[in-house]
Amino acid sequence: MDRQRIDKWLWHARVVRTRSAAAALVDGGLVRVNNERVTQPSRPVRPGDVITVALDRSVRILKVTGYAERRGSATVARGLFEDLTPLPEPKAKEPPSGARDDGTGRPTKRERRDTDRLRGRDGLGSD
């Protein structure tokens, strides 16, 4: 076996949960093979091809290294490709406004009222 359908390969490599989901990705134009958009799920892939898949909020870049006759375990699936996806840059985490230090417990009634005033809620009912 020197080639395999792109939808079957995506399913065997566990990029998607179902083969129909793989076909839907291809039909939707969200898969590229060697920088060329793939429009048919029957497009064959060969070892050495680079596949770019747009999934939800991420893009995965995979290099085909092999095939599988059947869909196997995740360990077997990892052997079908080399992941070329760059690592995301770490985001600077800022504490949310009104954040409290760890271990300080619940806010007191005075702290809660101060927080409400900062947020524009004066605590008086708007009935």
Side-chain angles (χ1 to χ4, degrees), residues 40-84:
Q40 294 185 339
S42 62
R43 160 74 158 79
V45 292
R46 294 177 172 79
D49 285 348
V50 176
I51 299 175
T52 306
V53 182
L55 296 169
D56 294 332
R57 296 181 180 165
S58 64
V59 174
R60 292 188 68 186
I61 303 170
L62 310 170
K63 183 176 182 180
V64 178
T65 58
Y67 309 111
E69 288 289 327
R70 303 176 61 182
R71 187 172 196 236
S73 66
T75 310
V76 172
R78 273 188 238 115
L80 301 180
F81 62 88
E82 179 184 339
D83 197 354
L84 304 176

Side-chain angles (χ1 to χ4, degrees), residues 112-123:
R112 183 183 51 79
R113 288 178 182 149
D114 290 341
T115 303
D116 286 345
R117 256 186 243 109
L118 281 173
R119 293 183 178 169
R121 297 180 291 201
D122 57 2

Side-chain angles (χ1 to χ4, degrees), residues 5 7 10 16 18-28 39-41:
R5 290 173 54 117
D7 60 340
L10 289 171
V16 292
T18 63
R19 187 168 166 194
S20 59
L25 275 177
V26 175
D27 286 335
T39 57
Q40 294 185 339

Side-chain angles (χ1 to χ4, degrees), residues 93-122:
K93 220 175 178 187
E94 294 182 21
S97 63
R100 300 175 50 81
D101 294 330
D102 289 338
T104 58
R106 292 178 55 169
T108 63
K109 193 178 267 190
R110 175 180 285 171
E111 290 170 336
R112 183 183 51 79
R113 288 178 182 149
D114 290 341
T115 303
D116 286 345
R117 256 186 243 109
L118 281 173
R119 293 183 178 169
R121 297 180 291 201
D122 57 2

